[in-house]
């Protein structure tokens, strides 16, 4: 197997969805018995340094995706909720049955919009706050 360069790895990560990336991080942590939490502050600090102008105009950068109703296709909505979260079948069903409830909390705008589109595509009514 050829060794991938750092640029090649970054290009691969760039193509992944947030869920795929999250699953990769979990698998990486298990395989190498490490925790990625130590790297998170470095990423945040690097992003904050590059976005000094963005800090001047305080924009909301964390969004909540709220499931307001399951619609007619409840099973499809449960499947999408399970894809978006790490919930099991029972927990996802309870979340859908208990709507309005948050599906994702404090996520980036892009992730919130994608999650909302997925849920709407399954027939759910969704609110992004």
């Amino acid at each position: 197997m050829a060794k991938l360069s750092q640029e090649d790895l970054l290009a691969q990560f760039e193509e992944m969805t947030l869920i795929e990336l999250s699953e990769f991080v979990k698998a990486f942590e298990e395989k190498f018995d490490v925790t990625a939490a130590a790297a998170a502050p470095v990423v945040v600090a690097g992003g904050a340094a590059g976005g000094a102008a963005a800090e001047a105009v305080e924009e909301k950068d964390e969004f909540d995706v709220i499931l307001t109703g399951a619609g007619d296709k409840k099973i499809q909505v449960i499947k999408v909720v399970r894809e978006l979260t790490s919930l099991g079948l029972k927990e996802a069903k309870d979340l859908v049955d208990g709507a309005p409830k948050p599906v994702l909390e404090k996520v980036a705008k892009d992730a919130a919009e994608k999650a909302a589109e997925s849920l709407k595509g399954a027939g759910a009514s969704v609110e992004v706050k």
Side-chain angles (χ1 to χ4, degrees):
M1 183 171 173
K3 184 176 179 181
L4 295 174
S5 70
Q6 191 173 20
E7 291 81 24
D8 293 336
L9 285 171
L10 289 173
Q12 289 296 317
F13 290 138
E14 192 173 60
E15 294 175 8
M16 297 175 94
T17 65
L18 288 176
I19 294 170
E20 291 170 335
L21 192 54
S22 173
E23 290 170 354
F24 170 78
V25 170
K26 287 177 188 174
F28 187 90
E29 289 174 340
E30 289 174 11
K31 171 96 174 156
F32 296 104
D33 194 29
V34 295
T35 303
V42 174
V43 173
V44 172
E55 289 178 5
V57 178
E58 202 170 311
E59 287 188 36
K60 186 173 180 179
D61 60 350
E62 293 181 338
F63 296 85
D64 295 341
V65 179
I66 313 292
L67 176 71
T68 56
D72 295 338
K73 300 178 182 176
K74 186 172 157 183
I75 293 173
Q76 295 298 345
V77 174
I78 292 170
K79 287 180 182 180
V80 173
V81 168
R82 290 191 66 206
E83 289 172 9
L84 295 172
T85 64
S86 59
L87 296 176
L89 181 60
K90 182 182 182 327
E91 292 84 4
K93 181 183 179 304
D94 291 344
L95 188 146
V96 171
D97 287 341
K101 289 223 178 193
V103 176
L104 297 173
E105 295 180 310
K106 297 182 182 178
V107 295
K109 184 176 183 178
D110 293 343
E113 289 174 353
K114 287 180 183 179
E117 287 177 28
S118 296
L119 288 164
K120 287 178 184 176
S125 54
V126 181
E127 187 176 305
V128 177
K129 290 184 177 183

